[in-house]
Amino acid sequence: MTQTTAIAHPNFALVKYWGKKDIDQNMPAMSSISITVDSMHSKTKIYKNLSSKQHRLFINGEEEQDISKIIPSLQYLSKISKSNDFLVIKSENNFPTSSGLASSASGIASLVTAYEAHYDIELKMSDRVKACMLGSGSAPRSLLGGFVLMDQNRSYRCSQILGKSDWPLDVLICIASTESKKISSREGMEISRKTSTIYNHWLDINQEHINEALEAIREKNILKLERVTEKNCELMHEVMKTSSPSIVYKTDVTRSCVTEVENLRVLGHKLFYTIDAGPQVKIICDPSSSNAIKEKIIEKTDVIEIIHAGIGGSPRVVNEN
Ligand code: DP6
């Protein structure tokens, strides 16, 4: 095979990871739970670089000068494949890159999936997790569809809690800004680990939030999932805020979306929100409310656009030349 292409979807955490246990291995300091979304994807093509002895990475057609994030993943994979090939990697995102929309998770997961197929190496799931994690701590969760647990107590084992059609919720991604974030997650997490006054509390409460979210998902109880997701999200943003320097990813548009979520709830709609390391607001809702929510958010806030997604599946190889 001369070239291989794979697609993976981003995932959004309901119980979040913010802080690392081991920087060299890029290991999260906590467990996390996410949903994988459809509609949005990274499509990554790889082939052998025949013109120079280096890996080359292109994202949305532009060559990246700093490829340090993907080198550990490639080194890990090349030990298994026993290939010394240098690769050309061309990744395209059909959504804004580097603005808190988990483009690195879907990018890395699609790269690992393409690599495995290209070299026909049939990885163990634990090797896929490791290869993804070395690139991005949230990327292993994109290896599975549906609702996913990454369990730090079980060597970061990733498992599916429910499949994408077991509980078909909608995900409305409200784009508050398409600018790249000023502080990367990686930098921000380190600042928080070293300086946030509530970082230890954040670590201590993790298992409690995981248990609550697992129960809510297994029961398909949207109200329970709302409670734990929003409290976990707000606590993470408090950890960021209480860091020194203080880290704030929310903007006025973010806040006005949250106000509308609360107003819509009063009107009887079933929905909740989460926000990552960027200003975008991800609304998870019962599909019967999606259109009403979109109309209200567009009418009342300054969002740029709303991406309408459902719960997505696992990565896949796509045959194209
Ligand atoms: C706020 O996985 O992007 O989205 O491991 O340094 O690449 P690196 O960070 P990344 O961090 C994700 C942080 C988060 C919460 C989450 O997805 O759990």
Side-chain angles (χ1 to χ4, degrees), residues 80-319:
I80 298 175
S81 68
K82 302 191 170 57
S83 158
N84 294 322
D85 287 354
F86 290 99
L87 297 176
V88 176
I89 300 159
K90 291 189 170 166
S91 197
E92 310 274 339
N93 298 320
N94 69 345
F95 60 95
T97 299
S98 197
S99 52
L101 287 178
S103 56
S104 57
S106 50
I108 301 277
S110 58
L111 169 59
V112 171
T113 305
Y115 192 102
E116 177 174 350
H118 194 74
Y119 290 99
D120 201 10
I121 47 177
E122 281 204 41
L123 295 172
K124 288 188 286 205
M125 187 61 179
S126 56
D127 283 322
R128 289 187 195 126
V129 166
K130 185 84 185 158
C132 281
M133 186 179 289
L134 284 164
S136 180
S138 56
R141 300 186 311 232
S142 277
L143 291 169
L144 292 167
F147 295 75
V148 178
L149 165 69
M150 180 161 66
D151 191 346
Q152 68 151 345
N153 304 311
R154 298 180 71 186
S155 312
Y156 300 94
R157 181 169 175 264
C158 289
S159 57
Q160 190 179 70
I161 312 161
L162 287 182
K164 63 174 183 171
S165 37
D166 292 331
W167 194 13
L169 296 174
D170 272 4
V171 187
L172 306 174
I173 299 109
C174 305
I175 308 292
S177 165
T178 49
E179 276 175 35
S180 288
K181 51 192 167 198
K182 295 193 178 64
I183 301 183
S184 71
S185 301
R186 201 158 287 198
E187 287 170 277
M189 283 182 203
E190 261 316 271
I191 296 172
S192 294
R193 186 180 68 81
K194 290 183 182 147
T195 66
S196 167
T197 47
I198 58 167
Y199 186 74
N200 285 338
H201 171 64
W202 169 242
L203 290 183
D204 292 344
I205 206 87
N206 174 251
Q207 192 58 46
E208 198 175 305
H209 286 187
I210 291 284
N211 293 344
E212 269 179 67
L214 281 174
E215 192 177 289
I217 294 166
R218 287 182 184 134
E219 288 173 9
K220 300 185 198 171
N221 184 330
I222 199 162
L223 192 64
K224 261 192 195 170
L225 195 54
E226 166 202 317
R227 285 201 206 105
V228 62
T229 301
E230 293 186 1
K231 105 180 138 186
N232 182 269
C233 167
E234 290 305 334
L235 186 58
M236 180 184 76
H237 285 272
E238 203 50 37
V239 172
M240 295 164 167
K241 204 166 144 197
T242 53
S243 302
S244 181
S246 186
I247 306 164
V248 179
Y249 290 111
K250 293 179 186 174
T251 63
D252 288 346
V253 182
T254 313
R255 291 187 190 91
S256 59
C257 286
V258 170
T259 303
E260 288 318 312
V261 167
E262 281 153 5
N263 290 341
L264 281 152
R265 222 147 34 203
V266 173
L267 294 175
H269 294 286
K270 289 187 179 146
L271 74 163
F272 59 92
Y273 68 87
T274 191
I275 304 156
D276 292 295
Q280 332 305 0
V281 180
K282 290 99 185 193
I283 297 175
I284 298 102
C285 64
D286 191 278
S288 62
S289 288
S290 294
N291 287 341
I293 297 168
K294 283 199 288 187
E295 271 169 32
K296 186 63 119 192
I297 298 273
I298 286 167
E299 182 198 331
K300 296 281 186 181
T301 76
D302 287 332
V303 294
I304 298 167
E305 68 165 306
I306 299 180
I307 301 172
H308 191 155
I311 308 286
S314 46
R316 61 193 183 279
V317 174
V318 288
N319 289 324

Side-chain angles (χ1 to χ4, degrees), residues 57-64 89-93 97:
L57 171 65
F58 297 81
I59 297 181
N60 294 337
E62 288 217 7
E63 183 155 15
E64 292 287 305
I89 300 159
K90 291 189 170 166
S91 197
E92 310 274 339
N93 298 320
T97 299

